[in-house]
Amino acid sequence: MVDSHAHLFFDGIYQDLDNILKSAKQSGVNYILTVSTDSKTIPLNISIAENHDNVCCSVGVHPHHFIDGYDLEELIILSKKTKVVAVGEIGLDYHYQDQTPKSDQIHLFRAMLSIATQCNLPYIIHSRECFDDIFCILSEYKIPSSVFHCYTDSVENAKKILDLGHFISFSGVITFKKSIDLLDVVRYVPDDRFLIETDCPYLAPVPHRGKPNEPAFVNLVAECIAEVRKTSVAHISKITTNNFFNLFQKAKFLWKEKYDAV
Ligand SMILES: [Zn+2]
Ligand SMILES: [Zn+2]
């Protein structure tokens, strides 16, 4: 199984990383993508991937971190490192516009998309209360596929994402009681177009809700999907692992021998 979106460099996880990675392995979580959020912590995130065989990472600046600044040329150089398999997380988040105004977010998003284009890397989209703007911008770009991480939007928007050739990723949010409508999306997405993630340390699935999340809990996301789609956890694990390697081609190359043995 793969946790396609974790933040292993965050406080609380990083200090206990050895135990957390051990427990992920024991739970059958064989691969983890640790996703960057801001310029300052990118070197730490890359070093985590470089120091752990089964971890790869992404490089990118989250809309909330526009204010911290970034050096585009530097990010392009870092994106070419062996263990960097994606650009992310990038996108728009209009929930907290006072933190970063819309126009700055859009400027940052386009800059991050230019890294994906130049490095020919897939990218990880963070989208909150901004779907029309994100969709409009993405429609202009003929660049590699992306994944809309922690999807909580409608079936209608899921269709638009899939029609553009992108993937959807489900997090622990699907296990929350209030997520009834989201389960329609879980039923709707075809076998070959979705991933699973924790977004840890946030969004721990039921029954760990409110506590720190960790990659081992991606199992609970897979269990929930298996139940909703009336299939086995083994099947969900297999297809989401395949989808992960189909989207993140550099990871497939990185772990080719092991992946062939799965
Ligand atoms: Zn996010
Ligand atoms: Zn995240």
Side-chain angles (χ1 to χ4, degrees):
M1 203 174 300
V2 185
D3 181 358
S4 71
H5 191 117
H7 299 291
L8 300 183
F9 58 95
F10 273 31
D11 267 355
I13 292 204
Y14 181 63
Q15 289 79 354
D16 197 23
L17 193 57
D18 286 347
N19 284 327
I20 281 170
L21 291 179
K22 208 194 237 169
S23 113
K25 257 216 168 110
Q26 282 164 355
S27 307
V29 181
N30 294 322
Y31 304 104
I32 300 167
L33 199 172
T34 177
V35 177
S36 292
T37 52
D38 68 290
S39 287
K40 211 171 74 196
T41 53
I42 286 172
L44 172 62
N45 202 28
I46 293 176
S47 78
I48 291 172
E50 286 175 342
N51 290 319
H52 297 90
D53 254 4
N54 60 333
V55 178
C56 61
C57 67
S58 68
V59 159
V61 179
H62 185 289
H64 288 166
H65 290 282
F66 172 82
I67 199 154
D68 303 330
Y70 59 94
D71 176 340
L72 198 58
E73 291 309 311
E74 178 68 19
L75 294 182
I76 290 172
I77 292 166
L78 292 173
S79 298
K80 292 179 177 161
K81 286 185 163 250
T82 314
K83 279 257 173 144
V84 178
V85 305
V87 174
E89 55 182 291
I90 63 174
L92 304 173
D93 190 328
Y94 292 168
H95 192 70
Y96 297 107
Q97 271 185 63
D98 42 346
Q99 210 158 320
T100 311
K102 264 188 193 186
S103 57
D104 288 340
Q105 291 195 29
I106 290 173
H107 179 81
L108 173 66
F109 184 38
R110 286 187 184 277
M112 295 298 118
L113 287 172
S114 76
I115 302 177
T117 312
Q118 284 189 53
C119 299
N120 196 29
L121 285 173
Y123 46 101
I124 301 157
I125 299 277
H126 173 98
S127 160
R128 193 171 184 196
E129 295 170 24
C130 62
F131 186 82
D132 290 346
D133 281 5
I134 284 222
F135 191 75
C136 189
I137 292 170
L138 286 188
S139 308
E140 293 170 19
Y141 285 78
K142 287 200 171 37
I143 49 177
S145 293
S146 74
V147 55
F148 277 66
H149 105 90
C150 190
Y151 192 78
T152 54
D153 214 317
S154 62
V155 171
E156 193 193 352
N157 285 344
K159 184 180 184 315
K160 289 183 183 167
I161 291 168
L162 297 171
D163 287 349
L164 263 195
H166 302 296
F167 289 71
I168 278 170
S169 177
F170 296 113
S171 69
V173 172
I174 62 168
T175 67
F176 300 172
K177 259 204 187 101
K178 58 158 199 203
S179 298
I180 297 287
D181 292 346
L182 188 54
L183 298 185
D184 289 338
V185 185
V186 174
R187 271 177 220 107
Y188 172 76
V189 181
D191 264 10
D192 59 349
R193 300 297 288 284
F194 69 93
L195 308 179
I196 49 175
E197 66 172 86
T198 56
D199 202 13
C200 66
Y202 308 123
L203 302 172
V206 173
H208 305 288
R209 199 170 173 190
K211 294 184 201 137
N213 198 1
E214 55 178 280
F217 298 162
V218 79
N219 265 309
L220 295 161
V221 179
E223 271 172 31
C224 176
I225 295 174
E227 202 182 310
V228 171
R229 290 171 75 97
K230 298 190 169 47
T231 181
S232 67
V233 176
H235 178 67
I236 297 301
S237 170
K238 190 176 157 205
I239 61 174
T240 52
T241 301
N242 276 333
N243 296 343
F244 177 84
F245 285 111
N246 282 338
L247 176 60
F248 301 111
Q249 289 284 326
K250 224 169 138 183
K252 189 172 185 171
F253 180 74
L254 201 64
W255 292 316
K256 191 171 184 335
E257 280 171 33
K258 285 192 211 164
Y259 175 72
D260 284 347
V262 170

